[in-house]
């Protein structure tokens, strides 16, 4: 069920980025328009609730919001990506401290303790970290040189790829 909810979330975000003006190409204002107090309060809380409920970072919804306020793609993603850290930290802590084993309803590989901390696969976490840190170091030097329109199109393409893979795994 969670996977289908996340797919619906991606579909809504894709529809938002493609159907409403201001994501793929942003008119270059003299300066971005600030977010209003209501948007920061209620929008932030809404994004946080959806992100926490789905176990994802809020940047997928925050980037389109910041783009519509006039930020270039590189700045919108740079500002939105740190929002994933608190969600990831909280989720990681919950999964690491979650009881495992038959008493908790876990079966098979999930109840195995070797190489795991709760439901966190330490080997997979290490592989993700070892692969992502050098990639981040390399790409942060290149990101500023990517034209804004290509960066926004690539963002949409990445969301489409994630959606296709998720749907393919369900069928």
């Amino acid at each position: 069920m969670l996977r289908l909810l996340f797919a619906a979330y991606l579909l809504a975000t894709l529809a938002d980025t493609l159907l409403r003006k201001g994501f793929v190409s942003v008119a270059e204002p003299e300066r971005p328009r600030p977010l209003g107090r209501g948007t920061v309060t209620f929008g932030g809380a809404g994004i946080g609730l959806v992100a926490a409920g789905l176990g994802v970072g809020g940047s997928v919804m925050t980037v389109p919001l910041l783009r519509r306020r006039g930020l270039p793609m590189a700045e919108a993603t740079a500002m939105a990506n740190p929002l994933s850290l608190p969600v990831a930290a909280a989720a990681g802590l919950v999964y690491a401290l979650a009881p495992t084993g038959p008493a908790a309803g876990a079966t098979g590989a999930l109840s195995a303790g070797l190489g795991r901390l709760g439901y966190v696969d330490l080997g997979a976490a290490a592989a993700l970290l070892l692969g992502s840190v050098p990639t981040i170091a390399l790409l942060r030097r290149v990101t500023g040189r990517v034209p804004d329109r290509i960066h926004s199109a690539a963002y949409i393409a990445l969301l489409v790829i994630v959606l296709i893979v998720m749907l393919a795994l369900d069928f």
Side-chain angles (χ1 to χ4, degrees), residues 16-115:
D16 179 55
T17 60
L18 294 170
L19 299 176
R20 287 195 327 165
K21 290 183 179 184
F23 186 83
V24 176
S25 62
V26 172
E28 294 292 328
E30 284 187 21
R31 60 188 184 136
R33 297 176 314 278
L35 297 171
R37 177 172 266 174
T39 302
V40 170
T41 303
F42 298 111
I47 289 170
L49 283 171
V50 171
L54 293 175
V56 298
S59 65
V60 174
M61 289 188 290
T62 306
V63 169
L65 173 66
L66 295 176
R67 287 286 286 168
R68 286 201 181 75
R69 303 309 291 182
L71 283 175
M73 191 66 183
E75 290 179 33
T77 55
M79 291 179 71
N81 281 334
L83 298 173
S84 299
L85 184 60
V87 174
L93 187 61
V94 167
Y95 275 87
L97 298 177
T100 61
T107 58
L110 287 180
S111 63
L114 190 58

Side-chain angles (χ1 to χ4, degrees), residues 38-170:
T39 302
V40 170
T41 303
F42 298 111
I47 289 170
L49 283 171
V50 171
L54 293 175
V56 298
S59 65
V60 174
M61 289 188 290
T62 306
V63 169
L65 173 66
L66 295 176
R67 287 286 286 168
R68 286 201 181 75
R69 303 309 291 182
L71 283 175
M73 191 66 183
E75 290 179 33
T77 55
M79 291 179 71
N81 281 334
L83 298 173
S84 299
L85 184 60
V87 174
L93 187 61
V94 167
Y95 275 87
L97 298 177
T100 61
T107 58
L110 287 180
S111 63
L114 190 58
R116 292 187 173 279
L117 181 60
Y119 286 100
V120 177
D121 183 329
L122 298 174
L128 285 169
L129 188 62
L130 287 172
S132 63
V133 170
T135 304
I136 291 168
L138 174 68
L139 291 179
R140 74 172 204 202
R141 291 178 174 83
V142 178
T143 303
R145 297 183 204 145
V146 175
D148 193 67
R149 191 169 178 85
I150 292 173
H151 194 165
S152 60
Y155 186 86
I156 292 170
L158 179 61
L159 294 181
V160 169
I161 290 167
V162 169
L163 181 61
I164 290 169
V165 169
M166 286 186 68
L167 293 175
L169 291 175
D170 273 342

